[in-house]
Amino acid sequence: MKAKPKIVSIVGARPQFIKLAPLSKTFSGRFHHVIVHTGQHYDDNMSQTFFRQLHLPRPSVNLSISGGRHGAMTGRMLSAIEKALLADRPDFVVVYGDTNSTLAGALAAAKLSIPVGHVEAGMRSFVDDMPEEINRRLTDHLARLHFCPTEVSMKNLRAEGIKNGLIHSGDLMYELLHDSKSIIRANKKPLRQFGLTPGEFLLITAHRAANVDRPENLQRLAELLEALPIPTLFPVHPRTRKRFVQANLLRRLRNQDNLILCEPLSYLDTLTCAMQAHAVLTDSGGLQKEALFLGTPVLTLRDETEWVETLRRGNRLIGLDVRRMLRALRRKRAVRPMPYLIRRKRPSRLIADAVRRFLGGR
Ligand code: UD1
């Protein structure tokens, strides 16, 4: 009997564990699937919680590389991933999204002539100096298979001259959410824990470099948090917490009426809050979509989005502008679901089938 092809998934940051969950399930029967964790996210509530809750297999290795400047972090990852891949000798590597772990994984594999597949290929914000945009573009140009979640992402790749290996796969985040919906609905824990009433609170998250690393924008974020008109839950990302502490803002925000600061939430608790909230305010790409999947309006704390389809379906760009926020919250807009499934097929199935075809039907 022929050995199953060996696939290595390289992950390191919170949104990647979420995208990995449905794919890991589908891969497990068909391939010998190994997970390499770069260690980019390392706090229990940013990493292990997701492995436990989403029943992810343990990574074969955790490279424990995190923090520091982007170039140094990516460089250290490149070297360590190369070693891991030389030890594992996979037939194919899958990378996810747009983090430093994504780029380091794709580059290490491509340099070893191991073909790479990119989940969430073709997403673009067209903001050239956004770290995630740099990671996305380069990864797409290194990958051999491009798992595109949307029509627009397919078009973006073609416009950059990438014409081969495009697979319109749909959205893995939708697949996981769809499979978890009854648990999300039945989950009473977070609203009870934070004393929130369904439909009468907001959920806010913010961690993008543009919003929290530039002092003038961090200040604007703080002003927005002070102007929230109804009770608001804010699970604070470690990057954002660090910036608030450095800028002496944390104590001021803790005393703010209407604002409940908490540690990062688990996947299920986040989505239960997103489902029950009056609206979600976020600069996260994933949460923008997830809120709309759940029928909740979204105000995006940026001036652009990669998920342009969401703009016609209940997502509004408000930047860090208090007036735009208050106006958007007054005018409730209907939310329309997006076409997340392609030919009604599970994204993880379409991706696994494409990998198998690429490897010659093994
Ligand atoms: C990264 C991704 C971003 C993704 C986000 C999800 C890049 C360029 N950015 O941003 O695309 O949306 O993850 O969360 O890869 N830290 C902790 N504990 C942790 C993780 C991080 O304290 O568990 C600290 C780090 O040491 C660092 C800061 O938080 O000082 C930022 O972490 P980093 O990994 O640089 O990027 P994120 O902001 O999380």
Side-chain angles (χ1 to χ4, degrees), residues 13-15 40-43 46 66-67 70 73 98-101 131-132 135 207-208 237-239 242:
R14 186 169 60 172
Q40 181 170 350
H41 285 176
Y42 48 88
D43 287 348
M46 296 290 288
S66 63
H70 283 270
M73 190 206 290
D98 56 17
T99 72
N100 293 336
S101 301
E132 291 84 354
N135 293 340
H207 73 272
R208 291 274 160 219
H237 187 285
R239 173 189 208 112
K242 245 182 225 175

Side-chain angles (χ1 to χ4, degrees), residues 17-290:
F17 312 139
I18 294 168
K19 289 160 206 160
L20 173 66
L23 205 53
S24 144
K25 236 181 174 174
T26 304
F27 273 4
S28 68
R30 303 165 171 227
F31 305 121
H32 177 186
H33 184 214
V34 174
I35 298 168
V36 170
H37 190 322
T38 63
Q40 181 170 350
H41 285 176
Y42 48 88
D43 287 348
D44 187 75
N45 56 23
M46 296 290 288
S47 175
Q48 291 93 311
T49 301
F50 291 81
F51 278 80
R52 281 194 299 273
Q53 195 168 68
L54 303 176
H55 307 292
L56 283 165
R58 279 173 74 92
S60 68
V61 58
N62 186 322
L63 305 173
S64 304
I65 297 167
S66 63
R69 302 189 68 86
H70 283 270
M73 190 206 290
T74 313
R76 282 188 291 141
M77 283 179 185
L78 180 63
S79 161
I81 294 170
E82 184 176 62
K83 271 196 204 119
L85 292 178
L86 282 169
D88 272 329
R89 300 221 155 266
D91 299 291
F92 196 86
V93 163
V94 182
V95 295
Y96 301 76
D98 56 17
T99 72
N100 293 336
S101 301
T102 314
L103 175 60
L107 189 52
K111 293 241 178 216
L112 292 171
S113 301
I114 303 167
V116 176
H118 183 202
V119 167
E120 282 190 5
M123 301 311 300
R124 295 289 181 268
S125 62
F126 301 101
V127 178
D128 291 342
D129 63 351
M130 180 183 184
E132 291 84 354
E133 183 78 353
I134 297 167
N135 293 340
R136 286 179 202 126
R137 279 180 193 273
L138 294 173
T139 301
D140 280 334
H141 285 266
L142 292 165
R144 300 279 299 279
L145 290 185
H146 308 272
F147 309 122
C148 298
T150 62
E151 288 278 0
V152 173
S153 59
M154 305 268 288
K155 262 191 222 148
N156 289 340
L157 289 182
R158 290 196 192 103
E160 287 176 26
I162 300 176
K163 305 220 162 65
N164 296 324
L166 271 58
I167 291 110
H168 194 185
S169 60
D171 199 315
L172 285 170
M173 294 185 90
Y174 175 74
E175 181 173 343
L176 180 63
L177 188 142
H178 183 264
D179 290 347
S180 317
K181 213 162 178 181
S182 54
I183 308 176
I184 293 165
R185 194 173 290 121
N187 180 14
K188 301 268 178 289
K189 186 180 132 243
L191 269 67
R192 227 180 255 157
Q193 183 182 349
F194 298 109
L196 300 166
T197 310
E200 293 180 17
F201 71 96
L202 303 171
L203 174 68
I204 187 165
T205 79
H207 73 272
R208 291 274 160 219
N211 282 343
V212 305
D213 287 358
R214 296 188 192 149
E216 67 281 12
N217 286 351
L218 191 72
Q219 203 59 44
R220 294 179 71 209
L221 175 63
E223 282 159 22
L224 188 132
L225 293 168
E226 287 170 335
L228 291 162
I230 59 172
T232 302
L233 184 65
F234 186 3
V236 187
H237 187 285
R239 173 189 208 112
T240 310
R241 177 174 297 274
K242 245 182 225 175
R243 297 293 177 250
F244 282 151
V245 170
Q246 286 163 350
N248 260 329
L249 283 167
L250 199 56
R251 191 166 314 143
R252 191 172 116 193
L253 293 173
R254 278 212 184 105
N255 292 329
Q256 190 55 38
D257 290 347
N258 276 347
L259 188 60
I260 306 161
L261 301 176
C262 67
E263 292 295 314
L265 298 175
S266 71
Y267 175 74
L268 293 174
D269 285 355
T270 305
L271 292 193
T272 295
C273 291
M275 180 186 245
Q276 303 284 357
H278 173 74
V280 169
L281 286 74
T282 189
D283 61 8
S284 145
L287 196 53
Q288 279 172 55
K289 293 181 288 169
E290 287 168 328

